[in-house]
Amino acid sequence: MPRSRRTTREAIKDLMDTLPKGVHLSAQELRDRVGEGGENVSLSTIYRALERLQEDGDVRSILSARGQLWEPVGHDDEPHDHLICTSCGLTIEFSDALVSGFGKTVASRKGYVYHESRFDIFGLCSKCRGQRKAIQNDAIREILESAAEALDESRRILDDCLADLEEGSTAPMKKSLRRLRAAACDLVESVDEASDLLD
């Protein structure tokens, strides 16, 4: 007789109970780890087992940048909330009386009997924020270089216009002024791009 879902649930529960505090796994990661133990189970079997384990209060799920993740629920676990990086998926557990107090207050104001609350706070971790800032700085640097080129081109065009004025010819000066206007538009566009990145 093939292995029952109960065996898969037990394998997942055993695996989850050995995870270090703060580790959260996806269903695929759980399937891979259960598979390392010699069991060949489908992803749908893993999901069914997780649903049963969640109903039994043995695991709970959170949503992160990596999708739905699972964590064990221990009897000695203190309630905790999560800080989740929307870029790399780093998930940090924390407990804060102010946050849990907020859940109680909102429940009371809305006429609910409070049981528990959980907050998942999404943002960028310091590593990803630093990487994003570096990318942003590179983009601003490129825009400023482009703006400097547009200013340099504008200076050359103005020199041509002054030379045309000294010679008294207006036809080349009109052409130069059109080029100057285009260069000025490029410069304004570059400054707008840089400004958008700084917001």
Side-chain angles (χ1 to χ4, degrees):
M1 180 174 198
R3 293 181 183 228
S4 69
R5 282 187 231 151
R6 176 80 180 134
T7 304
T8 301
R9 282 198 309 273
E10 287 175 345
I12 291 173
K13 184 168 178 357
D14 290 346
L15 190 143
M16 294 292 274
D17 288 344
T18 63
L19 291 178
K21 185 169 175 53
V23 173
H24 305 81
L25 297 176
S26 69
Q28 181 65 51
E29 290 168 326
L30 283 165
R31 178 180 175 232
D32 294 345
R33 290 196 185 190
V34 167
E36 290 169 6
E39 291 194 46
N40 185 17
V41 294
S42 69
L43 199 52
S44 61
T45 300
I46 294 291
Y47 276 112
R48 281 194 302 274
L50 285 168
E51 286 174 20
R52 290 294 304 273
L53 287 167
Q54 187 171 25
E55 288 170 10
D56 294 343
D58 294 319
V59 299
R60 68 178 150 240
S61 70
I62 63 168
L63 292 177
S64 81
R66 292 176 36 213
Q68 186 176 25
L69 301 179
W70 299 86
E71 66 180 350
V73 176
H75 296 292
D76 57 347
D77 260 351
E78 283 190 27
H80 63 269
D81 301 297
H82 300 96
L83 283 167
I84 302 168
C85 180
T86 55
S87 182
C88 71
L90 173 68
T91 302
I92 297 173
E93 296 178 354
F94 72 95
S95 294
D96 188 307
L98 183 63
V99 172
S100 61
F102 176 72
K104 289 176 187 174
T105 301
V106 170
S108 175
R109 285 183 185 166
K110 300 296 181 182
Y112 280 69
V113 174
Y114 178 84
H115 291 288
E116 69 175 325
S117 59
R118 189 179 81 192
F119 292 92
D120 294 332
I121 301 171
F122 296 90
L124 288 176
C125 68
S126 58
K127 180 180 174 188
C128 291
R129 196 175 65 240
Q131 289 172 345
R132 187 166 282 181
K133 191 70 172 168
I135 291 168
Q136 184 181 36
N137 287 344
D138 288 345
I140 290 172
R141 192 175 297 109
E142 285 180 30
I143 290 168
L144 291 175
E145 287 171 3
S146 173
E149 289 172 10
L151 279 172
D152 196 41
E153 176 66 12
S154 298
R155 184 191 51 76
R156 284 194 296 276
I157 294 168
L158 282 172
D159 289 344
D160 292 346
C161 282
L162 288 173
D164 290 342
L165 273 175
E166 288 175 3
E167 291 177 8
S169 53
T170 57
M173 189 168 64
K174 286 180 183 176
K175 184 177 177 184
S176 293
L177 288 173
R178 284 191 199 101
R179 286 176 41 222
L180 180 60
R181 185 178 188 286
C185 288
D186 289 345
L187 178 60
V188 168
E189 193 174 302
S190 293
V191 169
D192 286 344
E193 285 180 37
S195 177
D196 288 345
L197 284 174
L198 292 174
D199 288 342

